[in-house]
Amino acid sequence: MVLDMKSPFPGMDPYLELHWRDVHQRLVTYASDQLQAKLPGDLIARMEEQVYVEPHDGEQEGRVIYPDVRLTEHTGRDAGSGDVAVAEEVVAEPLVIYVPEPATEPYIEIREAGARQRLITVIEVLGPSNKSTPRGRKKYREKQELEGGGVGLVEIDILRRGLWMMSVPRKRIPSARRAEYGACVRRGWDPWRLEYYAFPLRQKLPSIPIPLRKRDQAATLNLQALIDQCYANGRYDSIDYKAGLEPPFSEADAAWINELLKSAGSR
């Protein structure tokens, strides 16, 4: 049941980034469901998952705990009583090391139905593993190249943390057209044409095209509906809107956010 809860933000709620793992899973699931009803009968949307494991270069990669070694004595009769004394026994204790869990990044594949299952389009909602870790960025760049051969690619970036990883080079976008969030669309039959969509913080999120085959009309993905669904079903009305955000916003945007949240009674 979708609850009647609305974010105070008109578009993307930046505080959802504090709960990204849950939000990410919901976004991909709801996006797959939304697209399924819009696809031609011979195309299907499927959720897939990429696992990223970062190398561990010493103690800086994990939390290390050094427990004390414990000595236990099995009490027996005194050696003078004629019984054999039980020797002291050292019980080994492990060195416990906590390392980061493998990160999983869900994504969507649109494929032709039937035995062939030809891959048509991949939809990526970029996350920390794509944008913030060296190995994750490398693997994602390799994936972008592999998907250039006749496969469409839609990249949605509504996470401010990390580096720019969309296929469109950031330096090619005029500063006046840049925004906190955005998407890049590449059609499988025209891989050299990239479409960039900017999502400014203060505006409602748009619907974006999802390219299919050349003969098909593009499907559309309503991003605002997805964020609203995530917010309501995740019960994110409990968010602490007094918390700080990283990276920080510009002074003008921070002032706008403060006034918005005050007027909504969230500060």
Side-chain angles (χ1 to χ4, degrees), residues 143-153 186-189 191:
K143 190 175 183 181
Q144 285 174 322
E145 294 171 4
L146 289 173
E147 289 165 359
V151 176
L153 176 63
R186 183 179 73 195
R187 287 161 169 76
W189 65 89

Side-chain angles (χ1 to χ4, degrees), residues 215-231:
R215 67 175 183 268
D216 298 318
Q217 182 177 352
T220 57
L221 187 62
N222 187 331
L223 296 177
Q224 191 61 58
L226 295 179
I227 288 297
D228 291 346
Q229 191 175 5
C230 286
Y231 193 91

